[in-house]
Amino acid sequence: MAGLYIHIPFCHSKCAYCNFYSVADRRRADALVSAIKSEWEARAPEIGGHEAVRTIYIGGGTPSCLSASQFACLADALPYSRQIEEYTIEVNPEDVTPQSVKLWRGHGVNRISMGIQSFDDSELKAINRRHNPDDALRAVETIRDGGIENISCDIIYGLPGQSTASWRHTLDKLLSLGIPHFSAYCLSYEEGTLLFRRLQQGLINAASDEVIAAMYDYLCEAAADAGFEHYEIANFARKGKRSVHNSNYWNATPYLGLGPGAHSCDTHGIRRFNPPDIRNYTDSTQPVCRIDEENETDRFNDLVITGLRTADGIRLDRVGNDRLDILLRDAAPYLSRDMLRLADGRLSIPEKHWLVSDSIIRDIMQ
């Protein structure tokens, strides 16, 4: 089994919080689709060939920016849909129409991941989103009417000007939609983003730790009451609806990333990445991927970073004997305070401590 990720780096406009590689100029869209098809043919053996792929995830950027002909051309080059367990495309509400849903579904897409971020119009404007709350609600309805029930939506807490009351409104509205999966991200101010610059200039204030903690506590409580499993720091799913593709990243399933800015991990555990440069990517006649050189310590740290993000935690039988004693030694102070748990051969961070997981992970890394 393997996953296939395709990075489409186009956006209508840049969201104020986003530090993913994206561009607004779509004049190279046709060339990008052609280059992705060529890269797929050249690099498929890294994950065992076409027949090994069980999940496809088209992300970005905003893949729903692609025209109907561009998406169809790309999709026709990918593995045949009958072998695909989960086929996701990321979309924004303003791109969702009956025609677009029919197009995506007709080419095998069976899961939609949509960025909503908030149901408060002033908060959406503050982060440069193009849609309003009603657009998001209509988009969910349109996707369902088009025959795709497996819908995931993204929301963010800790936004500029966001109160605990408005966060509760956003979360409650989302949970009322009856979708099977959602992601809730705590806003981080990433260097190079518009929000980071505004923060540095004193134009906005970051939410306090106390406000973030209150928002997180309500998130965990409300999601559990609605029947969701909190299976990764930011991800919640109803029973049987975890994101299969995203779980590949956390459980060491091989995956291949195509497109500028994409990352990969092949069947031998070798990691590669494509530089985030669409001009270089589309102009090159050979794959532009580079090997991300890793030693044993790097691979151990990858295991820690990915495993401790999840409710399942780190499987200790995947830790080499030479590092297991060190791992348990470093974990001991946190185990004694119930900030780490050891059970059934796994080491994990309890849900109530995921907000401080970065500091725990840093101390466990070698």
Side-chain angles (χ1 to χ4, degrees), residues 144-360:
R144 282 195 172 127
D145 288 346
I148 298 177
E149 293 288 340
N150 197 359
I151 303 169
S152 179
C153 294
D154 295 350
I155 51 176
I156 302 176
Y157 58 101
L159 291 169
Q162 188 179 48
S163 66
T164 53
S166 67
W167 165 242
R168 286 179 176 232
H169 168 72
T170 285
L171 182 59
D172 291 347
K173 175 64 72 173
L174 184 74
L175 294 175
S176 74
L177 300 179
I179 58 175
H181 187 284
F182 73 94
S183 300
Y185 297 99
C186 180
L187 177 68
S188 59
Y189 289 86
E190 302 290 345
E191 190 169 356
T193 64
L194 179 58
L195 281 190
F196 181 85
R197 293 194 295 275
R198 288 176 176 170
L199 183 68
Q200 294 297 101
Q201 294 165 359
L203 300 176
I204 56 175
N205 296 311
S208 68
D209 291 344
E210 291 75 18
V211 167
I212 292 294
M215 290 177 171
Y216 179 75
D217 288 345
Y218 184 71
L219 167 65
C220 296
E221 177 186 348
D225 288 346
F228 283 87
E229 171 196 19
H230 192 179
Y231 71 99
E232 192 266 349
I233 289 177
N235 284 279
F236 299 77
R238 297 191 187 279
K239 186 176 180 179
K241 291 298 183 179
R242 290 186 179 191
S243 170
V244 180
H245 181 89
N246 287 342
S247 295
N248 289 346
Y249 303 143
W250 309 317
N251 63 21
T253 299
Y255 59 93
L256 177 62
L258 307 177
H263 289 248
S264 307
C265 185
D266 70 13
T267 54
H268 302 290
I270 297 173
R271 295 184 182 274
R272 295 177 174 84
F273 67 96
N274 288 341
D277 183 336
I278 189 170
R279 180 180 295 274
N280 179 54
Y281 182 82
T282 55
D283 288 350
S284 297
T285 58
Q286 299 293 327
V288 298
C289 62
R290 302 174 185 174
I291 291 180
D292 191 356
E293 301 289 352
E294 290 191 311
N295 56 33
E296 288 301 320
T297 298
D298 294 328
R299 282 187 278 274
F300 171 81
N301 289 337
D302 286 341
L303 179 65
V304 170
I305 293 168
T306 55
L308 289 183
R309 291 184 60 87
T310 69
D312 294 336
I314 301 170
R315 280 178 43 184
L316 297 186
D317 61 4
R318 291 182 56 202
V319 181
N321 291 332
D322 58 330
R323 296 186 182 271
L324 183 57
D325 288 343
I326 301 174
L327 170 64
L328 295 178
R329 180 202 68 193
D330 293 342
Y334 292 104
L335 288 166
S336 67
R337 289 180 283 162
D338 196 37
M339 296 180 75
L340 281 172
R341 288 179 182 166
L342 186 59
D344 301 321
R346 294 177 181 269
L347 183 70
S348 62
I349 300 175
E351 178 188 50
K352 63 182 178 180
H353 295 301
W354 265 344
L355 268 185
V356 295
S357 61
D358 284 351
S359 62
I360 299 173

